[in-house]
Amino acid sequence: RHMSYLQKHPSITRGRINNFTSDNQWKDVNLQAVLYDLKVSGEPHVKLEVWSAPGQERPPFSHAVKQEYRPAKVGESFGPSWTTHWFRVTASIPDSFKGKAVQFLFDTNSEAMVWSADGEPIMGLTGGGGGERHVDYLLTPSASANEPPRTFYMEMA
């Protein structure tokens, strides 16, 4: 039976596919470059705050939202392993996004849960580079001008 090169060398094939889909050194010329028309990060568009639960506690939403949050930034490390960190996110959608679907991308290289400001679990996220990677949360399928800021929470554990 004849096997294609792709079947004979699956790790090489996966590596090459990964170059076209990952947020890596090729991100400016691979699929990542064309997936999103417009991007914003940081204030004033995204205000990111964090509260880290003590030890290995798993506090419920009702407790976490009452805590004092501090400013956080993209690229900051959180740990150690098996600890829980709650993020309060306030997203302001620019008028230039009018008519576009707007997604919030949050890749912690771990698992996270998106919570509404009212304490309803919305969806789970899985970060990292594996096949189960899902790091996008849809804020709106079609933005309008003068969108009000949206506040939601992310539980990272």
Side-chain angles (χ1 to χ4, degrees):
R1 176 176 160 211
H2 175 73
M3 293 182 72
S4 73
Y5 180 82
L6 300 176
Q7 293 169 311
K8 287 181 187 177
H9 306 283
S11 63
I12 292 172
T13 301
R14 281 191 293 275
R16 288 179 178 166
I17 291 171
N18 192 42
N19 284 336
F20 288 100
T21 60
S22 295
D23 189 18
N24 59 19
Q25 70 187 33
W26 305 107
K27 68 182 176 185
D28 293 333
V29 294
N30 70 9
L31 290 177
Q32 288 287 330
V34 296
L35 283 177
Y36 308 105
D37 291 339
L38 304 167
K39 292 182 184 180
V40 293
S41 182
E43 294 195 40
H45 305 294
V46 180
K47 181 178 179 184
L48 188 63
E49 302 169 285
V50 66
W51 170 71
S52 297
Q56 293 185 344
E57 290 182 23
R58 298 281 185 258
F61 177 88
S62 59
H63 177 76
V65 296
K66 295 176 185 173
Q67 304 309 307
E68 188 171 323
Y69 284 68
R70 66 165 180 81
K73 60 182 183 278
V74 173
E76 188 173 344
S77 293
F78 298 93
S81 297
W82 310 111
T83 56
T84 301
H85 307 274
W86 283 83
F87 296 85
R88 181 171 47 217
V89 181
T90 304
S92 298
I93 300 171
D95 288 346
S96 60
F97 285 34
K98 183 180 177 183
K100 305 269 187 194
V102 179
Q103 306 221 24
F104 180 76
L105 303 178
F106 193 76
D107 187 352
T108 63
N109 284 318
S110 65
E111 294 179 340
M113 174 65 78
V114 181
W115 293 81
S116 74
D118 298 326
E120 293 295 319
I122 298 173
M123 65 181 296
L125 300 178
T126 303
E132 301 300 317
R133 184 174 190 262
H134 177 83
V135 298
D136 52 312
Y137 164 50
L138 183 66
L139 295 177
T140 179
S142 181
S144 58
N146 301 313
E147 288 267 354
R150 298 161 191 260
T151 298
F152 55 95
Y153 291 82
M154 311 287 287
E155 177 188 14
M156 179 181 83

